[in-house]
Amino acid sequence: MNFVEELRWRGMLHNIMPGTEEMLNKEVCTAYLGIDPTADSLHIGHLVGIMMLSHFQRCGHRPIALLGGATGMIGDPSGKSQERNLLDEETLQHNQACIKKQLSKFLDFESEGPTAAQLVNNYTWMSQFSFLEFIRDIGKHITVNYMMAKDSVKKRLSDESREGMSFTEFSYQLLQGYDYLWLYEHKGCRLQLGGSDQWGNITTSTELIRQCVLEALRCRIQRFMLNQLANSDGICIGVIALHGSGRFRSCRRRRSCGAGSLRCTAGRNRA
């Protein structure tokens, strides 16, 4: 059973990133769908997304339902003309318990094996972040220009909207992006599902993962290059950058150092 073809013939497929269908046909994949727990019951607006998860599991893949315990405290601005009322933690916890019970009627959480559905709550990892840590470690990867180019942002900042947009809502796409990054790193999640109004948030999520993976790759390459350089014969460089930080240890002289060697101490180098 082909997941993409199943959605296509049902008329449920709006957009898809290149290479997704090939990946799903090649291996068992994990995908997630975010559900905002703004009420204590699922409604008709959730049905299409939940059916996507259900078809995904029937096609031999693993679905993850993500309850927005953290992002639900903010509210997604996509498709909204004004900011929503923020919910307190007690109300959110009650809503999450009710939604989990309803989801179990559509998804198989009990079976053993690689396709068993999982339910996660982004409050689990978002509650570990301070504001300063988040903007330092996550916010630096996505520019304001990139975020303002999204339709959900432009609509709220246009002359047609009298409400404007708070910083709280503006930061939502970063929070959703970090959800995907966390699931990518800890659950092996390779696919994010969502409605057509979520396309801007989804592309921000993939861009955040791309930036973070590239940064980690650059860091590994730098450590490899510097360690190789430090261990080469005939070169006296006892300075090693620690994890790409640019800080150095003091130089240690080696017996093999002679003519043509490089030293850290000024005035000690010679031809």
Side-chain angles (χ1 to χ4, degrees), residues 23-207:
M23 178 185 70
L24 292 173
N25 291 335
K26 184 171 59 175
E27 57 187 309
V28 175
C29 294
T30 300
Y32 92 93
L33 174 81
I35 300 173
D36 224 359
T38 50
D40 60 2
S41 174
L42 298 170
H43 54 75
I44 191 65
H46 290 112
L47 182 60
V48 173
I50 293 171
M51 290 310 299
M52 277 201 297
L53 284 182
S54 180
H55 288 307
F56 192 73
Q57 187 173 37
R58 292 174 185 174
C59 290
H61 301 288
R62 181 174 68 154
I64 295 178
L66 184 148
L67 293 182
T71 46
M73 294 181 177
I74 295 176
D76 183 5
S78 301
K80 310 297 187 301
S81 59
Q82 60 184 7
E83 188 166 356
R84 295 183 300 185
N85 294 328
L86 306 185
L87 303 179
D88 59 73
E89 188 172 345
E90 183 179 355
T91 302
L92 284 168
Q93 289 178 349
H94 168 72
N95 293 350
Q96 291 162 27
C98 296
I99 290 174
K100 180 179 180 180
K101 185 176 180 180
Q102 292 178 326
L103 282 174
S104 63
K105 298 179 181 180
F106 298 90
L107 301 173
D108 182 6
F109 292 97
E110 304 301 328
S111 66
E112 298 181 0
T115 64
Q118 290 190 19
L119 185 69
V120 296
N121 183 343
N122 63 7
Y123 187 78
T124 304
W125 53 85
M126 290 306 306
S127 61
Q128 308 301 316
F129 263 119
S130 71
F131 175 72
L132 291 178
E133 287 174 330
F134 188 81
I135 60 175
R136 180 195 64 191
D137 298 337
I138 305 303
K140 67 179 182 179
H141 293 292
I142 303 295
T143 66
V144 172
N145 309 59
Y146 185 90
M147 296 171 69
M148 291 187 68
K150 302 302 179 183
D151 290 338
S152 60
V153 175
K154 289 192 292 185
K155 181 179 179 181
R156 290 286 294 276
L157 296 180
S158 68
D159 295 335
E160 300 176 2
S161 174
R162 297 180 180 179
E163 297 293 331
M165 174 178 281
S166 68
F167 176 78
T168 304
E169 286 186 298
F170 183 65
S171 64
Y172 187 93
Q173 55 184 297
L174 277 180
L175 297 175
Q176 183 169 328
Y178 185 71
D179 286 343
Y180 196 5
L181 176 62
W182 193 93
L183 292 172
Y184 173 81
E185 292 178 337
H186 294 85
K187 299 289 186 179
C189 184
R190 304 281 299 280
L191 184 62
Q192 182 178 176
L193 307 175
S196 57
D197 64 329
Q198 291 293 305
W199 188 249
N201 291 340
I202 290 174
T203 54
T204 299
S205 302
T206 55
E207 177 64 14

